[in-house]
Amino acid sequence: MSSRLNPYLSFAGDAKQAMEFYKSVFGGSLTSHTFGEYGGAPSEEYNDKIMHSMLETDSGYTLMGADNPPGMEHRPGTNFSVSLSGDDADELRGYWEKLSSRGTVAVPLEKQMWGDVFGMCTDAYGISWLVNITGTEN
């Protein structure tokens, strides 16, 4: 898979309904995983909340989204990030280094419970970035 760049939306507990709505608008294939599926639910009430959802449309659009975990502020109007994902570890690590170098790292780029290498940062201009490297060992 080549690297892709797409919006990543954050929701205050209604990601499942929102992503199903977007599927009804754009069509395509929707996959969703809950916090409970990954064993990472911060509390019982989060077992059924969406940890990651991805809509891939027949037109080539990709839209990702998730419910905010506890402690992460939900601010409508600014509840999005830009997602960089793929399996080219060198390319994606290069982007990460440049984006995070003068910014703030919220989640270090490291192996996560779902098996990929993932990190979150805000760049020097206030844009939130998610970087996910699939199929890596570290």
Side-chain angles (χ1 to χ4, degrees):
M1 162 178 53
S2 60
S3 297
R4 67 170 73 181
L5 182 141
N6 58 271
Y8 202 108
L9 307 177
S10 298
F11 299 95
D14 56 357
K16 180 177 176 19
Q17 297 87 339
M19 294 302 289
E20 287 173 353
F21 168 73
Y22 296 132
K23 181 181 181 205
S24 77
V25 171
F26 298 111
S29 174
L30 176 64
T31 56
S32 297
H33 300 283
T34 65
F35 284 93
E37 286 177 67
Y38 285 115
S43 67
E44 180 124 354
E45 71 178 295
Y46 271 80
N47 278 336
D48 295 328
K49 299 295 181 195
I50 301 299
M51 183 176 186
H52 176 70
S53 186
M54 181 168 64
L55 174 63
E56 295 181 289
T57 73
D58 297 336
S59 298
Y61 305 141
T62 300
L63 183 63
M64 295 181 184
D67 287 312
N68 278 357
M72 182 178 247
E73 184 180 1
H74 179 78
R75 293 180 297 161
T78 61
N79 52 328
F80 69 94
S81 298
V82 181
S83 172
L84 285 166
S85 57
D87 57 10
D88 188 330
D90 290 337
E91 177 184 39
L92 292 164
R93 284 181 190 281
Y95 295 146
W96 171 264
E97 290 304 319
K98 292 173 186 173
L99 291 166
S100 65
S101 68
R102 295 183 339 175
T104 304
V105 173
V107 175
L109 188 65
E110 60 190 22
K111 184 106 173 192
Q112 300 296 324
M113 68 180 96
W114 59 89
D116 294 346
V117 170
F118 173 82
M120 292 174 59
C121 69
T122 301
D123 68 20
Y125 301 98
I127 303 300
S128 174
W129 293 87
L130 311 173
V131 176
N132 193 85
I133 306 168
T134 57
T136 58
E137 294 301 314
N138 53 19

